Amino acid sequence: MLTSTYTLDLLYEDQWITLVNKPSGLLVHPSWISHPDEPTLVGLLKERYPDQVVHTVHRLDRATSGVILFARDKDAVKSLNAQFAEGSVKKTYLCVVRGWTDDEGTIDYALKPIYDKFADPLADPDKAPKPAITHYKTLARVELPIPVGRYPVARYSLVRVQPETGRKHQIRRHMKHILHPLVGDTNHGEGRHNRLFREHFDCHRLLLMATELHCQHPVTQAPLHFKAPLDAQTLSVFDRLGWENIQLFEV
């Protein structure tokens, strides 16, 4: 597996768990659409722990960066899966969206499951929508003197998001639902705004970052709080937007 283009950015490791700051563009697992030699985060972890099975307890999309948690034994898997099932794991994201969002709000909007018909040909595409809740808070706003469509200026918001549920593409779909799609989202976003960030900021990624994770240690039960710093390119974009002094993490 060709893993030389990526290195592990470890946030924490012990004999039971490992936390990594995943870069945007890196798959967590091999996919039916990926090349057999394409690097994955699981592949990098197998190289680090060649004599151990590393278990995935949650996922991040390829385009999303940030903190992701892995278990390193079966007891840790059971404990962490139980925490996710009961909703006691708290995940926090940052995203940049089109328009000026309200100061804060809660999006309570059921989402129909998204299935990959190639990976799961028996999946029922007509299943009913599932409850989905997302809380958000606006950290900053900006107005750029760049025309977009019929508007003479372009407006964007920096938003801290905390999903209460874990539906596929939940943040991306919920923000689109309230008419504030994420910048860089090629599935649920707007091409004009994605193009603006590519052309004016040389930003070619989805601006969705998993920045914080709260959980209990699966063995010691100690409360854990992990933070994933933003990459240099994203911080550069934030600086150019005038957001260099924004408090990005929860205190």
Side-chain angles (χ1 to χ4, degrees):
M1 183 170 290
L2 303 177
T3 56
S4 59
T5 56
Y6 293 98
T7 58
L8 281 175
D9 182 2
L10 291 174
L11 299 173
Y12 176 85
E13 67 175 341
D14 62 26
Q15 67 189 85
W16 300 288
I17 60 174
T18 294
L19 287 99
V20 179
N21 186 8
K22 186 188 86 69
S24 174
L26 178 64
L27 284 166
V28 174
H29 287 279
S31 164
W32 67 272
I33 60 172
S34 63
H35 189 276
D37 289 331
E38 182 173 352
T40 66
L41 186 51
V42 168
L44 290 170
L45 289 168
K46 286 180 178 179
E47 291 181 358
R48 184 170 183 83
Y49 310 119
D51 300 321
Q52 195 172 30
V53 176
V54 178
H55 305 269
T56 307
V57 293
H58 70 118
R59 297 193 182 192
L60 293 178
D61 294 336
R62 182 209 294 256
T64 305
S65 64
V67 58
I68 181 169
L69 169 65
F70 295 89
R72 295 176 59 189
D73 70 22
K74 292 182 178 180
D75 290 335
V77 171
K78 291 179 182 178
S79 175
L80 292 170
N81 281 341
Q83 290 183 50
F84 275 97
E86 66 190 19
S88 61
V89 178
K90 179 182 175 183
K91 295 184 290 182
T92 301
Y93 296 75
L94 290 176
C95 60
V96 178
V97 303
R98 183 204 70 181
W100 285 3
T101 48
D102 292 340
D103 289 347
E104 58 184 32
T106 294
I107 306 167
D108 187 348
Y109 178 71
L111 295 172
K112 190 173 182 179
I114 296 176
Y115 295 108
D116 182 342
K117 65 180 180 179
F118 294 98
D120 187 3
L122 300 180
D124 180 2
D126 298 319
K127 285 190 175 180
K130 306 292 185 182
I133 299 174
T134 302
H135 309 285
Y136 70 90
K137 179 178 181 180
T138 301
L139 303 183
R141 301 180 180 92
V142 67
E143 182 175 275
L144 304 177
I146 304 173
V148 177
R150 61 188 178 90
Y151 298 100
V153 297
R155 289 180 169 183
Y156 301 97
S157 298
L158 173 63
V159 183
R160 178 183 292 143
V161 181
Q162 293 175 333
E164 191 173 313
T165 49
R167 309 303 175 197
K168 188 171 183 178
H169 293 181
Q170 177 171 318
I171 294 173
R172 298 157 69 173
R173 296 163 74 189
H174 266 178
M175 297 310 293
K176 177 184 179 181
H177 175 68
I178 63 170
L179 305 180
H180 293 290
L182 270 64
V183 171
D185 189 343
T186 57
N187 291 322
H188 310 286
E190 289 194 10
R192 294 176 299 179
H193 296 277
N194 298 345
R195 185 164 54 251
L196 184 151
F197 270 71
R198 289 195 301 269
E199 294 176 352
H200 292 269
F201 300 102
D202 194 28
C203 181
H204 298 262
R205 61 157 296 177
L206 171 70
L207 287 176
L208 176 62
M209 294 72 66
T211 52
E212 300 180 63
L213 187 147
H214 293 258
C215 66
Q216 282 189 326
H217 193 283
V219 176
T220 68
Q221 302 305 308
L224 302 175
H225 178 197
F226 300 99
K227 300 180 181 181
L230 303 186
D231 63 90
Q233 182 191 48
T234 302
L235 287 174
S236 175
V237 172
F238 283 16
D239 288 349
R240 294 176 65 184
L241 294 172
W243 296 342
E244 65 274 14
N245 295 318
I246 300 299
Q247 177 65 48
L248 299 178
F249 297 98
E250 291 186 290
V251 178

